[in-house]
Amino acid sequence: ITISREQFRYAQRWCRGLNVEIQLRDYREVAEQFDRVVSVGMVEHVGYKNYCTYMRAAARSLAKDGLFLCQGICGDSSRVHTDPWIARYIFPNSMLPSLARLTRAAEGVFIVEDVKNIGPNYDPTLLAWEENFRSAWPYFADRYGEHFGRMWRFYLLSCAGAFRARSLHVFSILFSKEGAVIGSSARKQRRSERRVAAKAPLACLRNRRAGRPFRWGRTRRYILLNKIPNHYREQKGNQLRAPVFHGQSREQNGDQLRAPFFRHWFFHNR
């Protein structure tokens, strides 16, 4: 959905022939319910007075076990105004929220399941956009004029500087309407991990006494959360990876970083 007629027409042309429906309507008018709701680059235009309305509208559009992903540019502090230059030349009536304002507006409506900051990626992205703009500018210079060219380059480069200075961020926030599905499945998974981790060392011991090699099978996924038997560590030690942490290199820490029982390793290698 969008309230921009230009964006509506462009999206219709772009999605022609696909199973996608583009609607020209206000988000507050949506009455249907969906399994997932995604808001990308839209919350910057809601305004601090409407954040609660925005969250309630998203919750109203979700099924009971639905998920809501909100992604947008945020500032590092809560404000009630935007940059005057941006408001005049680039984004009229815009306002960058803070993470605190968005999560506060979600209280009593959503449960925060995950937050990811992809803002550091926007510094090189904006520099790439500016380079592409300069390369293509000769084709549009007569149409838009030198004033627009300088203005747009200033916009791209100043925003790149703001992201590099970490005064601007891009947060992807995942909300659940009630949290029951995600919460219960996570609890079941942890209980299953604990049961298998408790049984696996015993199975390993029985196999060793019988003179048979231990067969990991599916158990290997869970035993990594607990502890690797010493005989397996000696055989496979150099192949078992653990994450480098606290800014230290593997060369500096040697084998101390090769303990293969970190949860991070489990989730990224199973």
Side-chain angles (χ1 to χ4, degrees), residues 63-133:
K64 183 177 181 180
D65 58 346
L67 294 175
F68 170 44
L69 178 66
C70 173
Q71 179 176 306
I73 300 176
C74 298
D76 56 359
S77 60
S78 300
R79 299 173 181 173
V80 296
H81 58 81
T82 190
D83 180 82
W85 189 89
I86 292 291
R88 179 174 180 179
Y89 294 105
I90 308 298
F91 294 123
N93 300 319
S94 65
M95 179 178 299
L96 297 183
S98 65
L99 183 62
R101 281 193 180 275
L102 294 180
T103 54
R104 191 177 302 121
E107 288 183 4
V109 181
F110 286 117
I111 294 176
V112 178
E113 298 290 352
D114 186 58
V115 179
K116 186 175 183 180
N117 186 359
I118 61 175
N121 299 327
Y122 263 59
D123 173 20
T125 299
L126 284 158
L127 293 179
W129 287 347
E130 192 273 336
E131 182 180 356
N132 292 341
F133 179 76

Side-chain angles (χ1 to χ4, degrees), residues 11 21 25 45 49 69 71 89 116 133 135 144 159 166 185 194-195 206 217 267-269:
E21 181 183 358
R25 65 194 301 191
H45 307 278
K49 294 181 180 180
L69 178 66
Q71 179 176 306
Y89 294 105
K116 186 175 183 180
F133 179 76
S135 300
Y144 289 99
C159 287
R166 307 307 301 276
S185 62
R194 286 195 294 268
R195 286 197 297 269
R206 289 173 178 171
F267 282 116
H268 284 272
N269 292 271

Side-chain angles (χ1 to χ4, degrees), residues 153-188:
R153 287 194 63 211
F154 177 78
Y155 158 63
L156 295 174
L157 294 175
S158 62
C159 287
F163 279 106
R164 185 177 300 185
R166 307 307 301 276
S167 59
L168 290 182
H169 314 275
V170 180
F171 288 111
S172 292
I173 314 171
L174 181 65
F175 298 98
S176 67
K177 193 172 182 180
E178 295 186 358
V181 174
I182 293 180
S184 61
S185 62
R187 287 192 295 272
K188 291 179 181 177

Side-chain angles (χ1 to χ4, degrees), residues 5-267:
R5 296 187 181 275
E6 292 78 7
Q7 191 178 62
F8 174 71
R9 290 192 291 266
Y10 178 83
Q12 281 188 316
R13 293 193 303 270
W14 185 261
C15 298
R16 185 178 293 116
L18 301 178
N19 187 22
V20 178
E21 181 183 358
I22 312 297
Q23 296 185 3
L24 185 66
R25 65 194 301 191
D26 192 291
Y27 74 95
R28 292 166 291 190
E29 300 172 357
V30 177
E32 300 90 340
Q33 284 197 334
F34 305 90
D35 297 322
R36 303 290 187 266
V37 173
V38 179
S39 172
V40 179
M42 183 263 190
V43 71
E44 300 94 323
H45 307 278
V46 170
Y48 73 98
K49 294 181 180 180
N50 299 313
Y51 291 147
C52 291
T53 301
Y54 170 79
M55 293 294 178
R56 286 194 294 267
R60 188 175 61 249
S61 303
L62 276 179
K64 183 177 181 180
D65 58 346
L67 294 175
F68 170 44
L69 178 66
C70 173
Q71 179 176 306
I73 300 176
C74 298
D76 56 359
S77 60
S78 300
R79 299 173 181 173
V80 296
H81 58 81
T82 190
D83 180 82
W85 189 89
I86 292 291
R88 179 174 180 179
Y89 294 105
I90 308 298
F91 294 123
N93 300 319
S94 65
M95 179 178 299
L96 297 183
S98 65
L99 183 62
R101 281 193 180 275
L102 294 180
T103 54
R104 191 177 302 121
E107 288 183 4
V109 181
F110 286 117
I111 294 176
V112 178
E113 298 290 352
D114 186 58
V115 179
K116 186 175 183 180
N117 186 359
I118 61 175
N121 299 327
Y122 263 59
D123 173 20
T125 299
L126 284 158
L127 293 179
W129 287 347
E130 192 273 336
E131 182 180 356
N132 292 341
F133 179 76
R134 280 189 290 108
S135 300
W137 177 243
Y139 299 99
F140 304 98
D142 294 338
R143 179 179 178 182
Y144 289 99
E146 190 63 27
H147 175 77
F148 176 85
R150 292 197 306 268
M151 178 190 71
W152 202 253
R153 287 194 63 211
F154 177 78
Y155 158 63
L156 295 174
L157 294 175
S158 62
C159 287
F163 279 106
R164 185 177 300 185
R166 307 307 301 276
S167 59
L168 290 182
H169 314 275
V170 180
F171 288 111
S172 292
I173 314 171
L174 181 65
F175 298 98
S176 67
K177 193 172 182 180
E178 295 186 358
V181 174
I182 293 180
S184 61
S185 62
R187 287 192 295 272
K188 291 179 181 177
Q189 180 180 352
R190 286 195 294 269
R191 285 197 295 267
S192 177
E193 292 169 1
R194 286 195 294 268
R195 286 197 297 269
V196 177
K199 294 178 181 178
L202 181 59
C204 178
L205 180 61
R206 289 173 178 171
N207 281 313
R208 291 185 66 185
R209 287 178 177 175
R212 296 191 301 269
F214 179 62
R215 297 184 180 275
W216 289 89
R218 293 178 60 85
T219 307
R220 180 180 178 183
R221 296 183 180 181
Y222 302 97
I223 190 66
L224 289 175
L225 290 174
N226 187 6
K227 186 177 180 181
I228 300 295
N230 289 332
H231 77 283
Y232 192 81
R233 186 193 303 273
E234 293 168 359
Q235 295 173 6
K236 303 292 184 178
N238 292 334
Q239 300 178 18
L240 295 173
R241 297 183 290 111
V244 177
F245 47 93
H246 298 307
Q248 298 170 335
S249 67
R250 188 179 297 273
E251 290 76 10
Q252 292 174 339
N253 294 274
D255 292 335
Q256 295 178 6
L257 292 181
R258 297 187 181 275
F261 46 83
F262 287 93
R263 187 174 296 271
H264 179 87
W265 191 96
F266 166 75
F267 282 116

